[in-house]
Amino acid sequence: QVYLEESGGGSAQSGGSLTLSCAASGYNSDPYCMGWFRQAPGKEREGVALISRLETTNYAPSVKGRFTISRDNAKKTLSLQMNELKPDDTGIYYCAATMTNTCLSLLWKAGDGMDYWGQGTQVTVFS
């Protein structure tokens, strides 16, 4: 069982920055894949960024170049540095993980294949 808890959400002005963190626990072997998904009001959940155990990454085109995902396996943490925020980045951001041996392609599956989820943290970007 993997437990995930997000922190760091909040409000920012357009062009600003926020950093999300996810504290993981409950396991001895590092999840193969960890990442961030988001859901805006009235929209389906979408992948934001994923990182594998080997630290290969995949980003949604809408955030590439603005967001950076990283993980620290020793500290069991996952982070998402969000710069140049836009109002379209508003939504609930979820930390997710899976132990199965697949990762980067899961970005396009709206979370299908990710087995463990945090409760989510709200990000609101004002124009």
Side-chain angles (χ1 to χ4, degrees):
Q1 182 69 23
V2 177
Y3 300 95
L4 303 170
E5 183 174 4
E6 303 95 340
S7 62
S11 299
Q13 286 192 324
S14 182
S17 299
L18 286 172
T19 301
L20 303 183
S21 297
C22 176
S25 62
Y27 57 86
N28 291 320
S29 297
D30 297 325
Y32 186 81
C33 186
M34 301 185 75
W36 296 93
F37 293 78
R38 68 186 181 189
Q39 187 164 20
K43 294 186 178 181
E44 292 186 354
R45 185 171 60 195
E46 63 176 355
V48 176
L50 293 178
I51 185 167
S52 74
R53 189 188 297 157
L54 302 177
E55 299 196 8
T56 53
T57 59
N58 196 12
Y59 293 91
S62 61
V63 307
K64 196 169 185 179
R66 300 189 295 121
F67 291 10
T68 303
I69 189 171
S70 61
R71 63 189 286 176
D72 186 328
N73 293 327
K75 296 182 178 179
K76 294 186 177 180
T77 58
L78 177 72
S79 298
L80 185 68
Q81 176 66 42
M82 305 186 294
N83 298 327
E84 300 176 34
L85 285 163
K86 303 176 180 180
D88 284 348
D89 295 320
T90 294
I92 300 175
Y93 283 68
Y94 298 92
C95 174
T98 181
M99 292 294 189
T100 57
N101 194 23
T102 186
C103 191
L104 301 186
S105 62
L106 296 180
L107 187 72
W108 316 114
K109 298 185 178 181
D112 289 347
M114 303 301 282
D115 300 313
Y116 305 101
W117 293 85
Q119 293 298 309
T121 185
Q122 177 71 44
V123 170
T124 303
V125 183
F126 297 99
S127 58

